[in-house]
């Protein structure tokens, strides 16, 4: 896929912006706090309908404005597509080729994007929540049904937690009501776990080979799902359902005391091992960076495998975080294959000699010019 045009209105620090004539590689150069990341974010939001930086849509609207709009035109293998997202106090509305979408899940994945930002280096060594967010965003792009189950699970989880807190405060343990929440929680939770395990299995195949290539065959990368119930390799839905139910019964008393749900995909994790050692604990900073890079490059190939075309690649101030060797590995992967948008504070921090025919845009206080 290829982005031909993007326009912003009242988005972050952009009052009005329209850009076109993009190339295969697009460099956005400017000092910090000028709007480079905001542009990259807008492309990401068009892919997933949500930001990677905030969960509050109102933060995307310019200060003093009551609405924001993002739109783009893209070429896909089946033809051109026009996307539009509008944000206001009433929520957000999504359109594809001018037609409003009844559900956001019908909009997500129309274009696909892989984002690589400095905070993604935390996927390896950061908190489990960072890794769960990584899984949710990437799976949601290629499997809209995953988003449905995730939204329903989160809704039931919140209601179940509220019930546990109220029961604890009242000194009551209404097992009948808890059983009702359990059924709904497990129904959607099992679907999430199944899809995560299958996604990780596919990602493993790509990431292992890429990591082996970057390290000259010296390091083997292994990805593994770390569930809060059951065995990591189990995928049968009926078995997972039973395992989840058993786990909830085992932790029921603790849940009443703590007023929170203690098992389920919201507490699962993803582990990385290099030559048998856990990367988060025993890996050097270089190994952790290489693992994060391998993951992102694997994402590109996995999306291509799933949908039949490559996503766009968004590199937000990340090339300067990589040493020249890893920069080269990354550039050689997307060069002549994936349309790429790169932000940086200056050309001097990039291995620019390897960026063939890159379009260069200069960003200053919410204005962009070539």
């Amino acid at each position: 896929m290829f982005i031909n045009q993007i326009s912003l209105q009242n988005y972050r620090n952009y009052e009005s912006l329209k850009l076109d004539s993009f190339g295969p590689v697009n460099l956005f150069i400017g000092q910090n706090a000028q709007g480079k990341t905001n542009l990259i974010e807008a492309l990401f939001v068009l892919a997933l309908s949500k930001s990677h930086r905030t969960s509050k849509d109102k933060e995307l609207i310019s200060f003093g404005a009551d609405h924001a709009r993002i739109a783009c035109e893209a070429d896909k293998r089946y033809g051109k597509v026009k996307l539009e997202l509008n944000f206001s106090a009433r929520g957000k509305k999504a359109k594809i080729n001018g037609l409003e979408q009844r559900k956001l899940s019908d909009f997500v994945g129309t274009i696909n994007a892989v984002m690589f930002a400095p905070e993604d280096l935390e996927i390896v060594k950061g908190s489990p929540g960072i890794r769960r967010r990584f899984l949710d965003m990437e799976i949601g792009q290629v499997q809209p049904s995953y988003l449905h189950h995730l939204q329903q699970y989160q809704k039931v989880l919140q209601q179940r937690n509220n019930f546990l807190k109220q029961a604890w405060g009242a000194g009551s343990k209404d097992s009948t009501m808890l059983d009702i929440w359990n059924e709904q929680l497990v129904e959607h939770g099992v679907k999430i776990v199944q899809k995560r395990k299958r996604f990780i299995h596919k990602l493993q195949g790509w990431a292992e080979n890429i990591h082996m290539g970057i390290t000259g065959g010296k390091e083997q990368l292994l990805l593994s799902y770390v569930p809060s119930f059951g065995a990591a390799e189990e995928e049968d839905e009926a078995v997972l359902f039973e395992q989840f139910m058993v786990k909830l019964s085992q932790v029921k008393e603790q849940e009443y005391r703590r007023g929170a749900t203690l098992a389920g995909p919201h507490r699962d994790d993803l582990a990385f091992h290099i030559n048998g050692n856990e990367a988060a604990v025993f890996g050097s900073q270089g190994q952790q960076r290489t693992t994060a890079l391998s993951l992102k490059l694997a994402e590109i190939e996995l999306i291509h495998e799933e949908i039949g075309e490559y996503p766009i690649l968004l590199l937000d101030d990340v090339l300067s975080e990589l040493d020249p060797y890893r920069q080269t590995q990354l550039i050689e992967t997307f060069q002549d294959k994936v349309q790429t948008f790169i932000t940086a504070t200056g050309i001097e921090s990039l291995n620019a000699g390897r960026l063939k025919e890159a379009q260069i845009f200069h960003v200053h206080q919410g204005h962009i010019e070539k």
Side-chain angles (χ1 to χ4, degrees):
M1 61 189 64
F2 196 96
I3 304 295
N4 294 317
Q5 180 187 99
I6 185 170
S7 61
L8 308 177
Q9 183 181 12
N10 299 329
Y11 184 86
R12 296 282 196 181
N13 70 328
Y14 290 100
E15 181 180 348
S16 179
L17 175 74
K18 185 174 182 180
L19 284 179
D20 51 23
S21 67
F22 291 125
V25 179
N26 304 277
L27 287 175
F28 294 88
I29 306 297
Q31 294 304 306
N32 292 328
Q34 301 302 303
K36 303 188 306 297
T37 295
N38 293 343
L39 180 68
I40 291 283
E41 176 192 45
L43 287 165
F44 187 84
V45 171
L46 282 168
L48 285 104
S49 83
K50 63 174 68 174
S51 168
H52 65 295
R53 300 157 72 195
T54 178
S55 58
K56 299 176 181 177
D57 289 338
K58 64 180 181 181
E59 293 181 9
L60 306 181
I61 303 173
S62 299
F63 182 76
D66 59 3
H67 73 283
R69 177 180 176 273
I70 320 172
C72 83
E73 181 184 286
D75 286 331
K76 298 194 67 174
R77 60 192 175 98
Y78 56 74
K80 288 189 183 299
V81 63
K82 293 182 178 181
L83 301 181
E84 183 179 330
L85 269 174
N86 290 280
F87 301 87
S88 70
R90 296 185 299 276
K92 53 191 166 191
K93 293 183 178 180
K95 294 181 181 180
I96 301 176
N97 293 329
L99 298 175
E100 187 170 328
Q101 302 301 295
R102 190 171 61 85
K103 296 184 296 183
L104 279 174
S105 57
D106 294 332
F107 179 87
V108 174
T110 306
I111 63 169
N112 302 94
V114 169
M115 166 77 79
F116 195 14
E119 56 264 30
D120 288 322
L121 298 172
E122 289 295 309
I123 290 174
V124 180
K125 62 180 181 179
S127 69
I130 294 173
R131 290 183 283 278
R132 287 192 294 269
R133 181 176 171 82
F134 160 74
L135 289 173
D136 292 343
M137 287 195 155
E138 304 318 322
I139 301 172
Q141 281 199 74
V142 293
Q143 297 184 32
S145 63
Y146 179 85
L147 290 178
H148 166 73
H149 290 295
L150 185 64
Q151 289 164 354
Q152 294 303 310
Y153 179 86
Q154 290 170 339
K155 188 183 298 182
V156 175
L157 177 65
Q158 184 177 15
Q159 293 169 327
R160 189 179 188 274
N161 284 342
N162 289 338
F163 169 78
L164 288 169
K165 289 172 186 173
Q166 291 168 0
W168 181 84
S172 168
K173 296 181 180 179
D174 185 353
S175 294
T176 304
M177 196 64 209
L178 192 64
D179 289 343
I180 294 172
W181 292 129
N182 286 355
E183 285 281 345
Q184 296 180 34
L185 190 78
V186 172
E187 176 190 348
H188 296 290
V190 163
K191 298 286 189 184
I192 293 168
V193 170
Q194 276 185 311
K195 292 179 184 297
R196 282 181 179 175
K197 288 181 177 182
R198 290 167 187 166
F199 177 84
I200 291 168
H201 178 73
K202 287 185 176 182
L203 194 64
Q204 165 69 36
W206 288 106
E208 182 177 2
N209 290 334
I210 289 168
H211 194 90
M212 193 78 74
I214 293 175
T215 61
K218 295 176 182 178
E219 294 179 3
Q220 183 180 31
L221 175 63
L222 177 66
L223 280 56
S224 56
Y225 194 51
V226 185
S228 58
F229 67 88
E233 63 276 4
E234 183 58 63
E235 288 190 23
D236 182 84
E237 186 170 339
V239 175
L240 285 171
F241 192 97
E242 181 63 25
Q243 289 177 340
F244 197 172
M245 279 295 198
V246 169
K247 184 66 176 181
L248 289 175
S249 68
Q250 291 172 344
V251 299
K252 182 167 68 172
E253 292 302 318
Q254 291 175 265
E255 289 185 330
Y256 273 120
R257 288 195 300 271
R258 295 176 59 177
T261 302
L262 301 180
H266 67 290
R267 296 180 70 88
D268 294 353
D269 201 355
L270 171 63
F272 307 97
H273 287 82
I274 298 173
N275 294 341
N277 296 316
E278 192 173 352
V281 179
F282 302 104
S284 67
Q285 188 176 55
Q287 287 176 318
Q288 291 171 349
R289 287 174 184 270
T290 301
T291 299
L293 177 58
S294 298
L295 268 186
K296 290 298 173 177
L297 297 181
E299 274 186 73
I300 293 171
E301 299 299 343
L302 191 151
I303 289 175
H304 179 257
E305 179 185 317
E306 289 283 319
I307 68 171
E309 60 184 323
Y310 283 106
I312 61 172
L313 177 61
L314 309 173
L315 302 177
D316 186 21
D317 202 25
V318 77
L319 280 181
S320 60
E321 295 282 322
L322 302 174
D323 60 41
Y325 176 75
R326 291 183 180 86
Q327 276 198 33
T328 300
Q329 292 293 323
L330 180 52
I331 291 169
E332 288 183 350
T333 298
F334 66 70
Q335 194 84 68
D336 301 323
K337 183 166 67 175
V338 181
Q339 188 186 26
T340 306
F341 297 81
I342 304 169
T343 68
T345 54
I347 293 284
E348 63 280 355
S349 64
L350 309 178
N351 192 349
R354 291 187 173 270
L355 296 174
K356 295 185 290 187
E357 300 179 2
Q359 301 268 25
I360 299 178
F361 299 83
H362 297 278
V363 185
H364 181 67
Q365 295 182 353
H367 297 278
I368 301 178
E369 58 184 38
K370 293 185 73 170

